[in-house]
Amino acid sequence: MVVFLANRANLQSKRLHDRIQNRLSGEFDNVRRRRAEPREAGPYRVVAKVDPRQFLGDDEYPVTAARVEIGFQLQTGEPHEYYWCNWIEPDRSLLVGWHQDDTHGDLGPVHLQVNDGSTPVAHEPAQFIDSHPLDVVARRLDSLRDAVLAVEWEQGRPAGLTSAPTESE
């Protein structure tokens, strides 16, 4: 008997990201799963295009194209997974996202981050959601509008958060 021991963590991770892709397909456009880049943690990202004016309910929003990127790392050595749930506007070099990882221990296990390009301009502690990853995705998507609209701008550049957005319980 031959036993094939595939890397089950990657298979589970692929399955999870496929399920995230299916979840996002009902709400966003051009949803796809891709392998994470070498500089990115975790094995995959699910990427979706979004019309900010429609998603945010603001016909005057300054850009018409954005994307959502979500990725999970399941085998972390911690009692919970790591994840990244980001809103990205390439035309304004904006990234707003929740990161549950080991990069800002002083803020707790989860933080909300705002970047101007690749430069972080704000980090706020965020609610730790001890739940299944698909529930985490749903709850972060429910709070995404408030997080994007809480970004403070100075001279056309993201500068921080006006207030921590209210997160769904």
Side-chain angles (χ1 to χ4, degrees):
M1 172 196 265
V2 175
V3 177
F4 179 68
L5 296 175
N7 185 340
R8 290 188 303 271
N10 283 341
L11 293 175
Q12 292 171 355
S13 186
K14 182 179 183 293
R15 188 174 309 126
L16 170 63
H17 287 85
D18 285 346
R19 290 180 68 190
I20 293 169
Q21 180 180 358
N22 289 340
R23 162 65 174 81
L24 296 184
S25 292
E27 189 170 352
F28 301 104
D29 297 321
N30 195 24
V31 181
R32 62 186 172 82
R33 178 186 42 81
R34 67 167 173 80
R35 281 225 172 261
E37 309 251 340
R39 62 180 167 67
E40 296 174 320
Y44 298 103
R45 291 292 188 274
V46 177
V47 181
K49 290 186 178 180
V50 60
D51 176 346
R53 292 178 178 179
Q54 182 180 4
F55 183 82
L56 301 171
D58 180 356
D59 292 337
E60 302 298 318
Y61 197 76
V63 297
T64 58
R67 71 181 183 270
V68 172
E69 291 191 8
I70 300 173
F72 279 81
Q73 182 178 346
L74 300 179
Q75 306 298 323
T76 64
E78 297 287 335
H80 55 80
E81 63 281 337
Y82 291 162
Y83 68 84
W84 303 267
C85 180
N86 295 316
W87 170 277
I88 300 167
E89 294 178 14
D91 292 345
R92 298 201 299 174
S93 297
L94 172 67
L95 176 144
V96 180
W98 289 274
H99 301 165
Q100 180 167 293
D101 54 27
D102 60 1
T103 59
H104 297 284
D106 57 322
L107 297 174
V110 185
H111 63 277
L112 179 62
Q113 180 169 323
V114 176
N115 280 18
D116 179 0
S118 61
T119 306
V121 295
H123 294 98
E124 298 281 334
Q127 177 189 18
F128 176 77
I129 302 171
D130 188 13
S131 188
H132 186 280
L134 292 176
D135 183 51
V136 171
V137 169
R139 291 169 65 179
R140 292 301 180 209
L141 289 176
D142 286 347
S143 299
L144 186 57
R145 179 183 186 280
D146 291 339
V148 172
L149 295 177
V151 173
E152 193 172 68
W153 293 86
E154 291 178 6
Q155 300 176 347
R157 308 300 302 177
L161 291 165
T162 56
S163 63
T166 304
E167 298 184 59
S168 55
E169 292 293 325

